[in-house]
Amino acid sequence: MIDETDTQRLAERGSNRSQRPTSQAFREFIAGNWEEREPVLPDRSPAAAPAAARRKRIGLLFRGDRLVVPAGQLVTRSNDTDYRFRPHSAFAHLTGLGADQEPDAVLLLEPLADAPADGPTHEAVLHIRPAAGKDTEEFYADARYGELWVGVRPTLAEVEARTGIRCAHLDTLPDAVAKDAGQVTIRVVPGADAAVTALVQRVREEVGATTSTEDDDALAEALSEMRLTKDDHEIGELRMAIAATAAGFDDLIRSFPRATAHPRGERVLEGAFGARAREDGNGLGYETIAAAGDHANTLHWIANDGPVRPGQLVLVDAGVEVDSLYTADITRTLPVSGRFTDAQREVYQAVLDACEAALGKAREKGARFRDVHAAAMEVIAQRLEAWGMLPVSAAESLAPEGQYHRRWMVHGTSHHLGLDVHDCAQARRELYLDAELRPGMVFTIEPGLYFRADDLAVPPRFRGIGVRIEDDVLVTGDGAERLSEEIPRTVADVEAWVQRLLPPPDGQEAGAR
Ligand code: GLY
Ligand code: MN
Ligand code: MN
């Protein structure tokens, strides 16, 4: 019940904990006596040139249209605290900005009148909310944007120097979107920023434009399909993400003794990897799966609140996202004590053989994306047949009307990887699943077998074992490169890796075993 005598509105009560001064004397005092910031402009980002090339490509596809690409808004996590900001991937791709840059910003690709057939089609303008002066209330009173709260924000000139894109104040966005609205098709990336979508929609309605959400969807589709092949800069960033992920897996193995001693050992593993992700990168590309024993059979096990016991396997699916927002996506299934049991090894080897078959297919000339999955499934079905687990032959199971083997691997074998862990998700099927592999494509190969402890169709010796092995692969001119080849994955290499990083048992020298 709200007390009728209480006149303070609910929305204003959030600040009741604080007693910010409001006196004129305070306002004047806090506004002055700050050292001037040196007007040194940052260097041009190495991402600027590739981002310009991408803007050129998208411009050619939408000649004459105004394209609106928002970074997105801060998202509330609870009450008045926000999640760490991460810009929309299409915005990052077209601007080269990453990390937490820049809430509310909008890239506008303004069509050039009389664009020459072989020349630029659009002018890019980046609308951002620049740093406010120290004489503004925002400076000290705005917990979302104020410099005393979130640190120095860049000026228009600084973002311009960094990106090579002309910058304008965010306040000028509505006019820029509405300019000549009746005579130009306006398309906005759907789902990126509800306020910007509403602004575009208002402008369209005011002029009675016939543009529909299908026009926006066509932009999203094109932006997604543009990312199906990666340029050299992107491949370099992905290599960095994978190297940091490899270091994170080393840290995680080093934490095994602490994990087995802790009632929530999976959290110890998650934390060890997460620390590396923040130290070496922007953070995690997705929530880490740290699943010991039977938890590995819950495909998206991110609760990570179980114990880790000697003798178990831990399935860890984790990826570092670097500051440019490219992410790795790696899974390793590791024996906690440094040695696989016979049953664990048998299942592990089956999955590894499926990985090898899929990689071999990816290296074949003319292979399609879907063939990579088919190659992995063939191995999985044959192994399940050999273990007597299929009610039909492997061949019958592999037929579309069979698919019994999928009981133990319901997920796909591969997905594109880049700025989004599941990259290019709006691409058309004919360019994704049905497409021939092309140099520059980066995708995962990640078969698995998941034998739940309560699965009576599984031989008892395998129950409670879950294995996935996930690598990141780049299609090259003459095959495919396993970008994550430095991260051990054969039975012998994984055992040696874990044993090398585990502290030696009492009384032994390091490296003595
Ligand atoms: N980590 C998400 C995936 O493997 O697709
Ligand atoms: Mn994956
Ligand atoms: Mn994964």
Side-chain angles (χ1 to χ4, degrees):
M1 262 309 269
I2 295 173
D3 182 352
E4 293 296 324
T5 61
D6 186 353
T7 54
Q8 189 186 31
R9 292 171 46 206
L10 277 174
E12 289 163 4
R13 294 180 198 177
S15 55
N16 281 351
R17 69 177 184 278
S18 134
Q19 301 173 60
R20 181 178 300 127
T22 54
S23 70
Q24 190 56 26
F26 165 76
R27 287 167 193 271
E28 285 171 14
F29 190 60
I30 198 168
N33 222 5
W34 301 100
E35 192 177 21
E36 278 296 319
R37 195 145 59 100
E38 286 285 322
V40 181
L41 293 179
D43 292 339
R44 185 62 49 87
S45 158
R54 297 168 201 150
R55 293 194 297 275
K56 193 168 161 195
R57 282 170 62 198
I58 199 74
L60 286 168
L61 293 175
F62 295 98
R63 195 178 269 278
D65 296 354
R66 177 171 300 143
L67 307 180
V68 184
V69 185
Q73 302 175 26
L74 284 158
V75 178
T76 302
R77 180 178 188 278
S78 116
N79 188 23
D80 58 354
T81 58
D82 297 322
Y83 287 102
R84 201 182 292 284
F85 181 71
R86 183 195 190 278
H88 191 281
S89 296
F91 177 88
H93 196 232
L94 294 182
T95 62
L97 292 172
D100 57 355
Q101 292 178 308
E102 188 55 26
D104 304 329
V106 177
L107 173 71
L108 211 67
L109 294 180
E110 180 61 22
L112 294 172
D114 309 321
D118 54 351
T121 56
H122 292 73
E123 189 205 5
V125 185
L126 193 49
H127 292 260
I128 62 167
R129 181 199 303 277
K134 298 198 170 62
D135 55 347
T136 61
E137 194 170 304
E138 176 182 307
F139 170 61
Y140 65 86
D142 190 327
R144 266 193 155 170
Y145 301 107
E147 183 168 328
L148 280 189
W149 294 84
V150 297
V152 181
R153 289 216 326 282
T155 63
L156 297 182
E158 285 166 344
V159 178
E160 203 162 296
R162 189 99 187 102
T163 60
I165 305 174
R166 181 162 80 76
C167 288
H169 198 293
L170 193 57
D171 291 350
T172 64
L173 179 71
D175 284 347
V177 169
K179 189 173 145 248
D180 307 328
Q183 292 140 50
V184 61
T185 298
I186 310 171
R187 299 176 193 257
V188 59
V189 175
D193 183 326
V196 177
T197 302
L199 166 70
V200 169
Q201 201 49 35
R202 261 195 322 276
V203 170
R204 285 171 176 163
E205 281 162 14
E206 271 163 26
V207 298
T210 54
T211 323
S212 69
T213 55
E214 279 169 25
D215 298 294
D216 294 339
D217 291 350
L219 175 60
E221 176 185 286
L223 288 168
S224 206
E225 290 175 355
M226 242 176 56
R227 285 160 41 198
L228 282 164
T229 54
K230 271 60 181 176
D231 59 38
D232 289 346
H233 179 262
E234 294 179 287
I235 292 165
E237 295 297 308
L238 283 163
R239 286 187 197 281
M240 273 173 38
I242 292 164
T245 299
F249 269 88
D250 283 354
D251 294 345
L252 180 140
I253 292 171
R254 287 191 194 97
S255 80
F256 277 3
R258 224 165 67 70
T260 49
H262 195 288
R264 297 204 293 180
E266 291 172 345
R267 290 284 170 93
V268 173
L269 306 183
E270 176 191 327
F273 188 88
R276 175 67 71 166
R278 284 295 289 165
E279 286 163 27
D280 288 9
N282 187 51
L284 298 169
Y286 54 91
E287 291 296 329
T288 296
I289 295 169
D294 195 39
H295 285 164
N297 298 315
T298 300
L299 294 175
H300 283 174
W301 177 258
I302 58 169
N304 302 339
D305 60 357
V308 174
R309 300 204 170 88
Q312 281 183 320
L313 295 179
V314 285
L315 183 158
V316 179
D317 186 341
V320 174
E321 173 188 272
V322 288
D323 288 349
S324 57
L325 305 178
Y326 289 85
T327 187
D329 182 11
I330 302 290
T331 306
R332 289 292 182 267
T333 306
L334 308 164
V336 175
S337 305
R339 182 124 5 242
F340 289 93
T341 65
D342 289 346
Q344 290 168 350
R345 185 179 305 111
E346 216 177 325
V347 179
Y348 189 93
Q349 190 61 50
V351 175
L352 185 59
D353 291 347
C355 289
E356 289 292 2
L359 182 63
K361 181 56 74 176
R363 289 185 162 140
E364 272 178 24
K365 208 156 188 56
R368 292 168 304 161
F369 192 86
R370 57 162 61 254
D371 301 334
V372 177
H373 171 69
M377 286 309 91
E378 210 169 303
V379 173
I380 293 289
Q382 284 163 358
R383 209 57 53 94
L384 291 167
E385 179 186 50
W387 288 329
M389 292 171 65
L390 296 177
V392 296
S393 69
E396 286 166 307
S397 188
L398 286 163
E401 62 278 15
Q403 300 292 304
Y404 299 91
H405 56 285
R406 295 298 296 277
R407 171 176 174 136
W408 295 290
M409 184 185 143
V410 293
H411 62 76
T413 302
S414 298
H415 56 79
H416 278 266
L417 179 71
L419 285 164
D420 294 329
V421 63
H422 296 163
D423 215 35
C424 313
Q426 283 82 40
R428 282 165 290 174
R429 171 183 272 259
E430 56 266 37
L431 295 186
Y432 199 132
L433 197 58
D434 296 338
E436 252 187 42
L437 300 182
R438 283 183 285 147
M441 285 183 167
V442 175
F443 55 84
T444 64
I445 292 181
E446 50 176 308
L449 279 173
Y450 308 92
F451 297 150
R452 286 168 52 124
D454 64 353
D455 189 340
L456 302 181
V458 168
R461 73 180 193 287
F462 288 156
R463 289 185 199 159
I465 295 176
V467 173
R468 178 165 64 256
I469 305 170
E470 178 172 24
D471 280 304
D472 302 339
V473 167
L474 164 70
V475 181
T476 60
D478 58 355
E481 178 186 348
R482 195 159 61 87
L483 294 172
S484 43
E485 69 184 344
E486 297 296 320
I487 308 177
R489 65 168 191 164
T490 64
V491 165
D493 288 352
V494 166
E495 288 186 344
W497 182 30
V498 174
Q499 288 172 24
R500 178 169 55 83
L501 294 178
L502 282 182
D506 287 347
Q508 276 191 32
E509 297 289 315
R513 13 175 223 183

